Amino acid sequence: SSVLTQPPSVSVAPGKTARITCGGNNIGSKSVHWYQQKPGQAPVLVIYYDSDRPSGIPERFSGSNSGNTATLTISRVEAGDEADYYCQVWDSTSDHYVFGTGTKVTVL
Amino acid sequence: QVQLVESGGGVVQPGRSLRLSCAASGFTFSSYGMHWVRQAPGKGLEWVAVISFDGSNLSYADSVKGRFTISRDNSKNTLYLQMNSLRAEDTAVYYCAKYFEDDISGPFDSWGQGTLVTVSS
């Protein structure tokens, strides 16, 4: 199965931009989805199919995917963005779904 | 709106069985595939199993294959996870999640609040 590697943590000041990477072999050929999970809560989909945003998700959240890296970008970071973020793909070779290792975003 | 409510979690001894349920509402349950995803305490998300809209296609993570069985009853709008031969490492919050449209590579677009399973003697 695919292995998706994320940085364990990212720290960012309010109003600045946070970038969370998701590394995987030729991930650019797959559809990548991103989830936000706050403590004690279920995950919430924030970006799907690399760069689409579900209704209700602020435009500050955006995504990109190319080569061996997918990126979730949070612009104008707010205190409420503090959470764990996970990338996810479907691995057609194994017919399994794979989550990234997760990144904790801390707002300074 | 979509609502998914898990139940059936609890404390169980190693080697025993447990069945989780996920009651769905707010959408046409029989038209969507469904997943189970788990999260061990303090750890990341781990996909467990998926079932197609009609129950004809199933897939499992290697860590649970042969021990867990995913099923559904579309007449009751309910998803199940039968867990046998439980191990300490199965301790986790178990979430059910809904397919996005009819795309196997699509996201998990709605999640329940989860039910905690603790495997301990």
Side-chain angles (χ1 to χ4, degrees):
Chain A
S1 293
S2 302
V3 175
L4 301 180
T5 303
Q6 299 180 232
S9 62
V10 168
S11 297
V12 58
K16 298 300 185 182
T17 298
R19 293 181 180 84
I20 304 162
T21 57
C22 175
N25 186 32
N26 199 25
I27 196 173
S29 67
K30 300 177 171 64
S31 294
V32 178
H33 317 297
W34 291 91
Y35 304 88
Q36 174 194 69
Q37 186 181 32
K38 296 182 178 179
Q41 298 184 19
V44 172
L45 179 67
V46 293
I47 291 290
Y48 63 109
Y49 293 122
D50 299 342
S51 59
D52 290 343
R53 228 179 13 258
S55 61
I57 301 301
E59 292 183 8
R60 301 184 296 103
F61 288 80
S62 62
S64 63
N65 183 20
S66 179
N68 293 319
T69 305
T71 303
L72 173 68
T73 301
I74 311 173
S75 305
R76 303 180 300 283
V77 166
E78 302 175 356
D81 298 331
E82 193 162 275
D84 294 326
Y85 292 82
Y86 296 89
C87 56
Q88 176 257 313
V89 302
W90 175 64
D91 183 342
S92 59
T93 302
S94 62
D95 193 23
H96 287 183
Y97 296 81
V98 182
F99 286 96
T101 50
T103 298
K104 181 176 181 60
V105 170
T106 300
V107 181
L108 301 172
Chain B
Q1 73 280 19
V2 173
Q3 190 168 14
L4 300 170
V5 180
E6 302 92 338
S7 61
V11 180
V12 61
Q13 293 179 328
R16 304 298 290 259
S17 299
L18 203 62
R19 189 177 82 157
L20 305 183
S21 300
C22 169
S25 60
F27 66 104
T28 306
F29 179 71
S30 58
S31 296
Y32 291 89
M34 296 291 295
H35 299 271
W36 285 101
V37 177
R38 69 184 181 183
Q39 186 170 36
K43 303 297 184 182
L45 300 172
E46 179 188 16
W47 171 76
V48 172
V50 63
I51 186 168
S52 59
F53 70 98
D54 61 356
S56 62
N57 289 304
L58 315 174
S59 183
Y60 298 91
D62 293 344
S63 57
V64 306
K65 194 167 187 177
R67 300 188 299 122
F68 289 12
T69 301
I70 188 172
S71 62
R72 65 192 297 159
D73 186 334
N74 285 345
S75 68
K76 295 182 178 179
N77 289 347
T78 303
L79 174 72
Y80 302 102
L81 185 68
Q82 177 68 42
M83 304 185 295
N84 298 333
S85 303
L86 282 161
R87 307 167 179 167
E89 54 265 36
D90 295 319
T91 294
V93 174
Y94 285 74
Y95 298 99
C96 61
K98 172 185 162 290
Y99 244 58
F100 175 80
E101 298 185 346
D102 189 24
D103 180 4
I104 194 171
S105 69
F108 302 29
D109 72 345
S110 298
W111 298 63
Q113 282 305 304
T115 187
L116 176 62
V117 173
T118 303
V119 183
S120 174
S121 54

